[in-house]
Amino acid sequence: MQHNHNYARLAPKWEFARDAYEGTEAVKRGRRALEYLPMTKQELAEAREFGVSRHYEIRRASASYENFFRPIVNDIAGFMQKNPPTIKFGAVSDGESPAEIRAIRWYGNRYNDGLAGLKQRLNFAQVLEGRYGLLLDLVCGADGRDAQFSITEYRADAILDGETAPFSPDTPSGAEWILLDESTRAFDRASKTWFRQPRYRVLGLDANREFYQTLLDRAPDDEWTAFDLNRPPRVGTRYPTYRGRRLHFIPMTVCNVGRLGFDVWEDPPYLDVAHLAIGNYQIDSFYKTALQNHASPTLVVTNADRPDPNIALGGVIWPTSRGGQPVTASLLETSGRGLAELRAAKEFTKGALRYTSVRDLLEGAGANSSAEAIKLRTSTGTAAVAAIDMTGARAIEEQLVYASIWAGATRHEAMDRITYEADVSYVVTELQLQTVGNFIAQNEKHPVLSREAVYRLLNKSLPGVLPPYEDNRRQLAGERESGGAD
């Protein structure tokens, strides 16, 4: 099936990020193992001649993949769960929204873990791959009644293609149609084997601008080529209806790193860390090979016959002179200069992580860190943690707004009632006390700010500790009158 050109460009990057996160098994023995550790020219020649390169297999087996990408992804995604979000279902009280809308907060997905679980998975996907899909769906009972709202989640590579239209109040999601991959592993009871069951879901607006869903599970390429988006086939097509209401827009939200929308395509925000991890793995393969060669000197014996071909270091040899010439024995060892260079390259690669890691922040270094320092440790390029967090919150809020509209509210009523905001106070400016102290000393010598302004600056560094400025002045005056005694 032919994919969107942006999908084709980003799909390898998503797989690269997932493999780097998964770890050793995917990197060393996965589908792209040869890409992550390429063969040298000599190893390629050996593989062509003998069908396999013994030297390459030894180098790959000895190399260690240090997965410092996974903890960084986990730390950043987990950091966004530090503060609970602000959730409201009404401008005055939550009772303004019907119970079925409020229930999404506690349930509302296949895992029944509510918006808290949804936010965690969404933030993780944003950090790892930079893309995630949310579809407001209806789940009915066995009799087709008692429909409940449920948010279905789609990984980046499951959102295959689509088309957007100019934004209008009638189509808030801006999507004309979207093609989703829902293929799964299925079990054949007759043969007792597992196989891949193809399944695709088409979301679209028909000629009457009504939202429909169509499932394709038979020869998907042929079905998709002949598919009429304006007039979907009757077989496999349904028009989701909630209490007699159909939608006139597609209730899907595609959440990216910093923006919402299907037509927004962004690289995984921390892909450079994955490249550092793979690069370190490649360097380690040469380092371990060189270390092995350096630690295994070669015994050189001249002018002698060798009766025992299996002699090894640590054993004893009794050479027989050849031609009456003196027998000599020596060890041939390689220089260690290259090892130092390889070791330095590994350290340099790891050192580059200081620009992206938030581990120091999470381990307590953030107590006296400025907002700029936090941003330096928690961002690469333009993707800041707070921006990712707020984008994810907007995606969830949009889904709640869609549910409110489907339940009967107007678009303006839904937007007034629903609030879902991420608490990003973890990047609020925190002034270092030592820096403030130095500034106060300099301000006494060369006044720039008034004493009251300086006091306010100090109070910002010690929130909740200092009394109001006037109270503090009275306390100081009292201490002076009493000579400083308690």
Side-chain angles (χ1 to χ4, degrees):
M1 180 175 290
Q2 187 175 1
H3 295 136
N4 182 291
H5 70 281
N6 284 306
Y7 180 98
R9 176 178 63 85
L10 286 175
K13 296 181 180 181
W14 298 330
E15 185 178 6
F16 186 92
R18 286 195 299 269
D19 287 348
Y21 178 87
E22 184 175 335
T24 300
E25 188 64 27
V27 171
K28 298 184 69 171
R29 289 173 283 276
R31 189 177 69 87
R32 300 174 65 180
L34 191 59
E35 179 180 336
Y36 300 144
L37 188 66
M39 287 187 179
T40 64
K41 290 183 179 180
Q42 292 81 1
E43 290 166 346
L44 281 171
E46 184 182 19
R48 282 194 292 266
E49 182 176 357
F50 301 104
V52 64
S53 172
R54 184 176 62 88
H55 290 89
Y56 174 78
E57 295 302 327
I58 292 175
R59 182 163 67 92
R60 181 169 63 176
S62 62
S64 297
Y65 174 66
E66 299 177 75
N67 193 351
F68 41 72
F69 178 57
R70 178 189 293 170
I72 287 178
V73 171
N74 289 345
D75 286 350
I76 295 174
F79 196 58
M80 298 183 208
Q81 318 310 314
K82 181 179 180 181
N83 301 326
T86 299
I87 308 174
K88 295 181 180 178
F89 293 93
V92 178
S93 69
D94 286 351
E96 296 174 35
S97 294
E100 58 266 28
I101 305 298
R102 302 196 303 271
I104 301 176
R105 179 174 185 172
W106 309 112
Y107 304 100
N109 58 66
R110 61 177 297 184
Y111 307 102
N112 277 332
D113 55 7
L115 297 181
L118 175 64
K119 183 179 188 299
Q120 187 174 23
R121 289 187 295 275
L122 173 61
N123 291 151
F124 174 80
Q126 286 178 281
V127 175
L128 180 63
E129 299 176 323
R131 195 170 177 83
Y132 205 55
L134 305 178
L135 173 64
L136 182 65
D137 214 341
L138 293 175
V139 177
C140 303
D143 57 358
R145 299 179 179 180
D146 298 326
Q148 296 179 350
F149 290 113
S150 179
I151 300 175
T152 305
E153 304 162 39
Y154 292 89
R155 210 170 68 170
D157 57 353
I159 310 170
L160 299 179
D161 207 348
E163 182 183 10
T164 56
F167 177 81
S168 71
D170 295 330
T171 56
S173 66
E176 287 289 315
W177 59 269
I178 294 178
L179 178 63
L180 303 170
D181 186 354
E182 297 183 350
S183 301
T184 59
R185 294 189 69 215
F187 183 72
D188 187 339
R189 292 177 175 270
S191 62
K192 306 298 188 296
T193 58
W194 289 91
F195 65 97
R196 182 179 182 275
Q197 176 64 58
R199 174 186 165 111
Y200 300 88
R201 185 187 296 265
V202 182
L203 310 177
L205 298 175
D206 65 11
N208 297 320
R209 308 300 292 175
E210 289 190 334
F211 167 56
Y212 67 85
Q213 299 185 19
T214 303
L215 296 180
L216 308 178
D217 53 10
R218 300 180 304 279
D221 285 345
D222 296 337
E223 281 191 278
W224 178 238
T225 301
F227 194 91
D228 188 339
L229 291 164
N230 291 326
R231 297 173 180 79
R234 292 184 179 181
V235 178
T237 297
R238 70 183 182 95
Y239 287 80
T241 303
Y242 183 76
R243 295 185 177 177
R245 301 186 190 93
R246 292 184 180 181
L247 288 180
H248 295 275
F249 63 90
I250 300 174
M252 183 164 188
T253 301
V254 178
C255 181
N256 303 288
V257 180
R259 292 170 57 195
L260 304 182
F262 175 83
D263 56 345
V264 178
W265 300 85
E266 298 177 282
D267 286 351
Y270 296 92
L271 187 63
D272 54 350
V273 183
H275 280 288
L276 286 174
I278 296 297
N280 184 69
Y281 163 60
Q282 294 172 354
I283 295 172
D284 188 75
S285 72
F286 291 107
Y287 176 71
K288 293 288 180 59
T289 302
L291 191 65
Q292 184 182 36
N293 292 338
H294 180 72
S296 303
T298 301
L299 177 63
V300 180
V301 180
T302 59
N303 300 323
D305 295 328
R306 185 177 63 171
D308 184 2
N310 298 317
I311 193 67
L313 290 177
V316 179
I317 60 172
W318 300 94
T320 302
S321 176
R322 178 184 295 171
Q325 299 296 321
V327 176
T328 62
S330 61
L331 290 175
L332 179 63
E333 296 183 276
T334 59
S335 171
R337 297 177 190 171
L339 289 174
E341 293 295 330
L342 287 170
R343 188 163 52 247
K346 282 171 60 68
E347 294 303 319
F348 177 81
T349 300
K350 291 181 181 180
L353 289 172
R354 68 181 180 272
Y355 299 111
T356 55
S357 177
V358 294
R359 294 192 67 78
D360 290 342
L361 175 65
L362 296 172
E363 288 165 5
N368 292 317
S369 297
S370 68
E372 286 301 315
I374 292 176
K375 289 178 182 178
L376 285 174
R377 284 199 298 269
T378 60
S379 64
T380 64
T382 58
V385 172
I388 298 174
D389 201 357
M390 289 187 292
T391 303
R394 289 200 305 272
I396 296 176
E397 183 180 81
E398 186 172 86
Q399 286 288 290
L400 295 176
V401 168
Y402 290 167
S404 184
I405 293 173
W406 211 344
T410 66
R411 185 164 177 266
H412 292 293
E413 288 173 341
M415 294 178 67
D416 288 340
R417 294 172 182 172
I418 303 298
T419 298
Y420 188 97
E421 294 179 350
D423 183 349
V424 295
S425 59
Y426 47 76
V427 292
V428 170
T429 302
E430 298 286 349
L431 296 175
Q432 295 184 18
L433 185 58
Q434 181 180 359
T435 302
V436 174
N438 293 338
F439 175 78
I440 292 175
Q442 291 297 321
N443 195 67
E444 288 294 324
K445 296 179 182 179
H446 308 284
V448 175
L449 298 178
S450 67
R451 289 191 174 184
E452 184 175 356
V454 171
Y455 187 85
R456 290 175 180 173
L457 185 65
L458 183 61
N459 189 44
K460 186 175 180 63
S461 301
L462 299 170
V465 176
L466 302 181
Y469 177 70
E470 292 299 331
D471 290 349
N472 188 67
R473 285 188 62 186
R474 285 193 291 270
Q475 291 175 16
L476 283 174
E479 290 177 0
R480 292 192 189 101
E481 291 177 0
S482 62
D486 292 337

